[in-house]
């Protein structure tokens, strides 16, 4: 995970104004202070310049100069006068603007591609998902489709007068620090240089493109805006065909030495189990992945059985629920079996990471009412008592869009951490 969080505050150097032609160290201080003011207003706005000065510890002249620069970059705007009590002149309050700055997150998964975009203030501009059979398509074909989705989203943003500050792509697999997808088992991707491939696409050259693991990005979305927002120790589980884990530990995403941490779907839980998409046998996702549920509940429509139509996961779930309503006993048995294995794998996670919450994403969330009681009982039965008792399962309300939402969030976070990444438009 390549997540930068600028919580180290930089001491102001009094009276230093103007960023053009500053020596390197002064430019660094200036950049940190721009970030400090922008983040303060994004978290506490609307607020006056004097309030920003008092609360950040920067002097008033500096704040005035920083605010002018942030306004020039289109990141802050003024609202009407704020009357702070009955005495004193009303002052103009500052608000995050960013209505012309967009953040695009795109997720490519086994059976769909999702696009999610917001402006800097978090207004949702694009939120869509397409059924796409990535499992049955060559990497080249999937990358073509991904390119088309990105180009269409950029065209939509352009029509809205929004310039993209960056694009982050979520992929269900191992992504190295250079953005190469080392392996995405269920997509059949090995050593895919996604950003390099997108160089051929119609994307403005100054727009940075990043690639990251879907579960890590979804965990960030949950941590910042989901049902368990602010819970500093949580594990997010993608409920897709593949199962990925995103771990937030002590308020920070857990990446590991190579950013590969959290591959819980490929922890072996049954040495005599089924073959997994990764080539090994008995991985956790062969027990709890959507393909496992579909195979048990609706064996006539198992993944890999029919290639004639692409089915969005929601369609598969609707069918499973329909059959349940019709009294098909296989559905109940399948959900119970998945719930049990969900509890067993979660016991491992609880023993390792001691999370307060395990957030169930994707299809797990749709079936949470039936999965959670079974999984919870199993967790209590086999997990270490203390961490298991203090951990609860919750269903995500971000649906299948969690990873693309997290991906867009990473772009916003990068602008807040370094506002100079947004260029000052040339004066007319
Ligand atoms: Zn596996």
């Amino acid at each position: 995970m390549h997540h930068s969080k600028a919580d180290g505050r930089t001491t102001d150097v009094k009276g230093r104004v103007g960023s053009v032609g500053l020596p390197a160290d002064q430019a660094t201080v200036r950049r940190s202070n721009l970030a400090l003011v922008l983040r303060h207003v994004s978290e506490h706005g609307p607020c006056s310049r004097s309030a920003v000065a008092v609360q950040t510890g920067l002097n008033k002249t500096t704040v005035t100069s920083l605010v002018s620069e942030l306004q020039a970059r289109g990141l802050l705007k003024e609202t009407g006068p704020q009357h702070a009590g009955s005495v004193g002149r009303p002052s103009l309050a500052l608000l995050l603007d960013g209505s012309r700055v967009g953040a695009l997150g795109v997720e490519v998964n086994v059976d769909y591609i999702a696009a999610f975009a917001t402006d800097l203030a978090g207004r949702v501009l694009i939120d869509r998902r397409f059924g796409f059979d990535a499992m049955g398509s060559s990497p080249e074909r999937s990358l073509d489709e991904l390119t088309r989705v990105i180009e269409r989203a950029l065209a939509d943003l352009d029509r809205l007068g929004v310039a993209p500050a960056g694009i982050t792509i979520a992929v269900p697999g191992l992504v190295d620090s250079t953005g190469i997808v080392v392996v995405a088992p269920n997509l059949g991707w090995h050593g895919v240089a996604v950003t390099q491939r997108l160089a051929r696409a119609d994307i403005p050259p100054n727009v940075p493109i990043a690639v990251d693991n879907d579960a890590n990005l979804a965990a960030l979305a949950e941590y910042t805006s989901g049902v368990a927002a602010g819970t500093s120790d949580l594990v997010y589980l993608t409920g897709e065909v593949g199962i990925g884990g995103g771990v937030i530990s002590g308020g920070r995403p857990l990446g590991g030495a190579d950013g590969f941490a959290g591959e819980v779907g490929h922890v072996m839980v049954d040495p005599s189990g089924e073959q997994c998409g990764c080539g090994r046998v008995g991985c956790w996702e062969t027990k709890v992945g959507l393909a496992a549920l579909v195979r048990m509940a609706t064996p006539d429509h198992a993944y890999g059985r029919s290639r004639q139509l692409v089915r969005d996961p929601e369609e598969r779930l609707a069918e499973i629920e329909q059959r349940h309503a019709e009294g098909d006993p296989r559905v109940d048995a399948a959900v119970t079996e998945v719930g049990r294995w969900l509890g067993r794998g979660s016991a491992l996670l609880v023993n390792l990471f001691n999370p307060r919450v395990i957030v169930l994403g994707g299809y797990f969330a749709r079936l949470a009412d039936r999965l959670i009681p079974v999984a919870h009982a199993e967790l209590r039965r086999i997990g270490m008592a203390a961490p298991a008792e203090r951990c609860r399962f919750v269903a995500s309300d971000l649906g299948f869009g969690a990873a693309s939402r997290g991906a867009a969030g990473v772009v916003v976070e990068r602008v807040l951490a370094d506002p100079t990444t947004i260029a000052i438009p040339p004066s007319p």
Side-chain angles (χ1 to χ4, degrees):
M1 167 155 321
H2 326 292
H3 182 67
S4 57
K5 194 125 180 136
D7 49 9
R9 298 199 167 186
T10 311
T11 314
D12 178 38
V13 180
K14 303 278 182 198
R16 190 168 277 165
V17 291
S19 63
V20 181
L22 287 176
D25 60 331
Q26 293 184 29
T28 304
V29 171
R30 174 87 181 171
R31 195 157 55 225
S32 304
N33 288 339
L34 285 167
L36 181 58
V37 170
L38 185 62
R39 194 178 290 280
H40 185 84
V41 176
S42 92
E43 285 168 6
H44 305 285
C47 46
S48 68
R49 287 170 177 75
S50 348
V52 173
V54 169
Q55 284 154 18
T56 59
L58 296 167
N59 81 38
K60 182 98 194 291
T61 319
T62 307
V63 168
T64 301
S65 152
L66 293 167
V67 165
S68 305
E69 182 169 339
L70 291 168
Q71 283 177 306
R73 293 183 191 277
L75 300 173
L76 287 185
K77 64 181 176 189
E78 284 175 328
T79 67
Q82 297 280 108
H83 294 272
S86 54
V87 289
R89 276 183 303 135
S91 60
L92 293 171
L94 299 165
L95 260 187
L96 197 62
D97 183 358
S99 55
R100 281 159 301 167
V101 178
L104 176 60
V106 182
E107 176 190 12
V108 52
N109 215 309
V110 172
D111 35 19
Y112 63 87
I113 297 179
F116 187 89
T118 66
D119 68 11
L120 198 60
R123 189 166 53 109
V124 177
L125 306 173
I126 296 172
D127 184 2
R128 62 169 84 107
R129 194 175 71 234
F130 314 85
F132 174 71
D133 182 16
M135 194 185 235
S137 306
S138 66
E140 199 52 30
R141 166 94 179 78
S142 298
L143 287 161
D144 281 346
E145 195 60 30
L146 175 68
T147 303
R148 254 194 297 279
V149 169
I150 291 173
E151 287 175 344
R152 189 180 149 203
L154 291 177
D156 289 346
L157 290 178
D158 190 54
R159 258 193 301 281
L160 295 167
V162 173
I167 304 168
T168 298
I169 298 159
V171 177
L174 300 181
V175 183
D176 76 9
S177 57
T178 65
I180 290 176
V181 179
V182 178
V183 57
N186 295 306
L187 302 184
W189 291 14
H190 298 270
V192 175
V194 179
T195 43
Q196 202 179 313
R197 173 65 175 65
L198 288 173
R200 286 186 247 154
D202 186 16
I203 299 173
N206 59 335
V207 175
I209 303 172
V211 187
D212 208 335
N213 173 266
D214 64 337
N216 289 349
L217 292 166
L220 279 178
E222 293 294 344
Y223 181 53
T224 52
S225 58
V227 284
T231 305
S232 55
D233 292 274
L234 69 82
V235 174
Y236 173 87
L237 295 176
T238 67
E240 311 273 353
V241 168
I243 301 299
V247 181
I248 304 283
S249 181
R252 296 188 156 274
L254 190 75
D258 303 298
F260 297 166
E263 281 302 319
V264 296
H266 302 288
V267 171
M268 196 248 273
V269 295
D270 180 4
S272 55
E274 308 238 1
Q275 173 116 33
C276 178
C278 74
R280 293 173 197 78
V281 163
C283 294
W284 192 31
E285 76 180 38
T286 67
K287 302 292 187 187
V288 298
L290 180 55
L293 175 78
V294 168
R295 193 177 59 238
M296 289 187 279
T298 55
D300 46 326
H301 284 163
Y303 277 79
R305 270 289 171 82
S306 100
R307 284 271 172 263
Q308 71 269 30
L309 82 164
V310 180
R311 315 183 81 213
D312 184 271
E314 292 283 4
E315 287 176 50
R316 289 187 182 269
L317 289 167
E319 183 186 354
I320 287 171
E321 281 172 346
Q322 157 109 32
R323 291 202 188 181
H324 180 65
E326 290 163 4
D328 186 337
R330 286 178 301 188
V331 175
D332 244 348
V335 172
T336 303
E337 181 70 0
V338 166
R340 255 191 225 120
W341 280 106
L342 186 59
R344 285 173 201 160
S346 297
L348 186 72
L349 299 174
V350 159
N351 290 355
L352 283 174
F353 302 116
N354 184 202
R356 203 50 96 222
V357 173
I358 294 177
V359 183
L360 301 178
Y363 96 85
F364 290 150
R366 267 288 288 274
L367 302 179
D369 287 352
R370 278 178 282 158
L371 285 173
I372 288 178
V374 181
H376 191 72
E378 193 70 359
L379 171 64
R380 293 287 288 265
R381 192 172 72 80
I382 59 175
M384 294 271 288
E389 270 162 22
R390 292 176 197 161
C391 179
R392 63 196 172 93
F393 290 98
V394 299
S396 167
D397 61 0
L398 302 179
F400 289 97
S404 52
R405 183 184 289 261
V410 167
V411 175
V412 170
E413 178 58 34
R414 203 165 49 222
V415 175
L416 292 178
D418 184 1
T420 65
T421 56
I422 303 301
I424 299 176
S427 29

